[in-house]
């Protein structure tokens, strides 16, 4: 069955292009369009789409307000399309907090130039977000507490000798990371590396926002940073992050990877790096996200004796990356999002 989509944008040109791109895939059907947030609220109630693509900045009612009201009245998975500016990043993060499940950069040049890569990414994201049941697609904050309270009964081995926590995430990750990090105490005893699939213009504002909300320190990682306990380092979007040992100090290395790398930043690369620096002393966590980034890095961590945890299916926006770890037999512990902060404190 095709994913039924409502396209919301005040630009007639952009609306038409998105409709053309989505309707070229037989697995997607655009059932209606809306010209602003107020119109979107009416159309969601009328057409009951499987997924909404939503512009951020619109007249009459902006996308953030529309997201908040749609999630309160007719909860529906919403994919934000936003500019790559600093202000665009902040607005998109506001929309995710309001209940949107994911975002894509609004690349006017690529859309107008008919670039196949941009069209392919948009179609794939809409298909994947619209393919599952509503409870799997709507953010955890909008679900009943019962659906997020399940934790595996498998006995957990807490290793108190871990020197580092490293977390990988993608779709649904910004909201999940916020929930996890806000729950950590100021005296959290190890450094934390964060690898979130995100454009370069978004990671700075995201790190700033997390730092304002959390008791621990959160910053966008800079090449040469020396790891400190109680500090989380977010990999810069569009680049790669690894660890190096220099003169007895463990430092962060930020670099430009091969252009053929699908993910920038890549969870696998960071996981593999920390596996070699701290063999058997890493607690890795894979949160919600599409694809399988992190699986091979988790394999390296496990081979060295480190611990790998995954977010459980019920609390994921997209159970892709955690599922890849679980199906490969690499997950030591599956945890509901609401419980991850508490478990991390126990685990280090």
């Amino acid at each position: 069955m095709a994913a039924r989509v409502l396209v919301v944008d005040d630009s007639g040109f952009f609306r038409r292009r998105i409709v053309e791109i989505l309707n070229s895939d037989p697995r997607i059907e655009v059932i209606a369009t809306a010209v602003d947030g107020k119109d979107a609220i009416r159309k969601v109630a009328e057409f009951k789409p499987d997924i909404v693509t939503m512009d951020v900045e619109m007249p009459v009612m902006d996308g953030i307000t529309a997201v908040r009201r749609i999630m309160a009245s007719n909860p529906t998975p919403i994919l934000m399309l936003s500019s790559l500016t600093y202000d665009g990043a902040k607005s998109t993060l506001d929309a995710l907090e309001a209940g949107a499940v994911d975002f894509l950069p609004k690349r006017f040049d690529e859309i107008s130039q008919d670039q196949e890569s941009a069209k392919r990414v948009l179609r794939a994201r809409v298909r994947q977000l619209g393919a599952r049941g509503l409870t799997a697609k709507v953010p955890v904050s909008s679900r009943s507490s019962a659906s997020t309270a399940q934790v595996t009964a498998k006995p957990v081995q807490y290793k108190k000798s871990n020197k580092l926590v490293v977390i990988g995430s993608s779709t649904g990750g910004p909201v999940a990371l916020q929930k996890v990090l806000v729950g950590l105490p100021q005296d959290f005893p190890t450094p934390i590396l964060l690898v979130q699939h995100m454009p370069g213009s978004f990671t700075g504002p995201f790190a700033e926002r997390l730092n304002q909300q959390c008791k621990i320190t959160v910053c966008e990682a800079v090449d040469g940073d020396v790891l400190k306990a109680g500090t989380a380092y977010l990999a810069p979007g569009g680049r790669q992050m690894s660890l190096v040992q220099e003169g007895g100090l463990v430092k962060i290395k930020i670099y430009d990877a091969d252009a053929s790398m699908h993910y920038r930043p890549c969870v696998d690369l960071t996981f593999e790096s920390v596996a070699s620096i701290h063999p058997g002393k890493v607690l890795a966590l894979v949160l919600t996200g599409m694809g399988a980034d992190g699986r091979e890095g988790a394999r390296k961590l496990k081979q060295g004796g480190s611990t790998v945890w995954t977010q459980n299916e019920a609390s994921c926006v997209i159970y892709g990356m955690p599922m890849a770890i679980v199906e490969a037999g690499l997950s030591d512990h599956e945890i509901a999002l609401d419980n991850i902060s508490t478990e991390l404190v126990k685990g280090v």
Side-chain angles (χ1 to χ4, degrees):
M1 187 165 57
R4 301 165 66 254
V5 187
L6 169 66
V7 173
V8 185
D9 202 295
D10 63 309
S11 163
F13 166 77
F14 215 82
R15 255 193 338 269
R16 288 190 298 272
R17 290 299 295 124
I18 295 174
V19 171
E20 290 170 5
I21 291 167
L22 296 180
N23 277 340
S24 66
D25 188 325
R27 293 163 291 183
I28 300 172
E29 177 191 5
V30 176
I31 57 172
T33 63
V35 298
D36 56 54
K38 194 171 181 180
D39 191 22
I41 294 170
R42 290 196 301 267
K43 297 287 178 62
V44 167
E46 179 182 355
F47 292 97
K48 300 292 192 294
D50 297 317
I51 181 172
V52 177
T53 68
M54 179 82 73
D55 188 19
V56 175
E57 297 178 10
M58 295 179 291
V60 182
M61 183 187 289
D62 64 90
I64 300 166
T65 304
V67 168
R68 192 173 291 113
R69 295 192 183 180
I70 288 169
M71 298 312 292
S73 58
N74 292 286
T76 306
I78 299 174
L79 174 66
M80 304 304 297
L81 300 179
S82 61
S83 70
L84 285 170
T85 64
Y86 180 88
D87 287 340
K90 291 181 70 175
S91 296
T92 302
L93 293 169
D94 287 339
L96 292 173
E97 282 192 8
V101 293
D102 199 13
F103 68 93
L104 280 177
K106 193 172 185 179
R107 303 180 189 273
F108 291 97
D109 54 340
E110 293 183 1
I111 293 294
S112 60
Q113 293 168 18
D114 207 34
Q115 289 192 11
E116 187 56 41
S117 59
K119 296 190 289 187
R120 187 167 56 247
V121 169
L122 175 59
R123 287 191 295 256
R125 196 65 57 89
V126 167
R127 282 198 315 270
Q128 289 169 312
L129 289 173
R132 306 184 64 187
L134 185 59
T135 55
K137 295 180 290 184
V138 175
V140 172
S141 59
S142 299
R143 302 186 209 164
S144 68
S145 58
S147 67
T148 61
Q150 303 166 18
V151 181
T152 177
K154 179 182 174 182
V156 183
Q157 299 297 318
Y158 297 110
K159 192 191 296 184
K160 299 305 256 184
S161 58
N162 288 314
K163 293 185 176 181
L164 179 69
V165 170
V166 57
I167 304 175
S169 54
S170 185
T171 309
V175 174
L177 281 171
Q178 176 182 316
K179 189 168 188 63
V180 170
L181 297 178
V182 164
L184 298 180
Q186 185 177 359
D187 61 351
F188 192 76
T190 74
I192 305 170
L193 299 185
L194 309 173
V195 185
Q196 164 69 40
H197 296 162
M198 187 175 268
S201 58
F202 279 59
T203 43
F206 184 42
E208 290 175 12
R209 177 173 300 226
L210 290 172
N211 190 55
Q212 292 168 357
Q213 297 171 330
C214 296
K215 299 181 186 74
I216 64 169
T217 299
V218 183
C219 61
E220 185 178 36
V222 175
D223 188 57
D225 275 341
V226 177
L227 295 187
K228 298 177 183 177
T231 300
Y233 302 86
L234 179 66
R239 308 193 74 192
Q240 303 294 359
M241 178 171 69
S242 62
L243 291 186
V244 293
Q245 190 120 23
E246 293 181 0
L249 295 175
V250 176
K251 297 182 179 181
I252 288 176
K253 179 181 179 181
I254 303 297
Y255 60 101
D256 295 317
D258 190 304
S260 64
M261 289 292 300
H262 184 60
Y263 298 115
R264 296 187 294 273
C266 174
V267 179
D268 276 328
L269 287 182
T270 301
F271 277 16
E272 289 171 8
S273 165
V274 302
S276 64
I277 294 292
H278 291 307
K281 303 291 185 180
V282 178
L283 174 54
L285 172 65
V286 178
L287 301 176
T288 174
M290 295 179 187
D293 188 24
R295 179 179 58 202
E296 298 313 307
R299 200 182 305 279
K300 294 278 189 184
L301 285 164
K302 292 284 289 181
Q303 288 170 354
S306 287
T307 303
V308 178
W309 292 352
T310 50
Q311 183 178 347
N312 75 341
E313 182 175 8
S315 65
C316 282
V317 171
I318 293 291
Y319 187 60
M321 288 166 54
M323 181 176 68
I325 304 288
V326 171
E327 290 186 344
L330 301 172
S331 178
D332 296 297
H333 188 23
E334 294 178 67
I335 321 169
L337 179 60
D338 286 345
N339 300 333
I340 289 176
S341 299
T342 301
E343 292 294 284
L344 281 177
V345 172
K346 294 178 184 177
V348 294

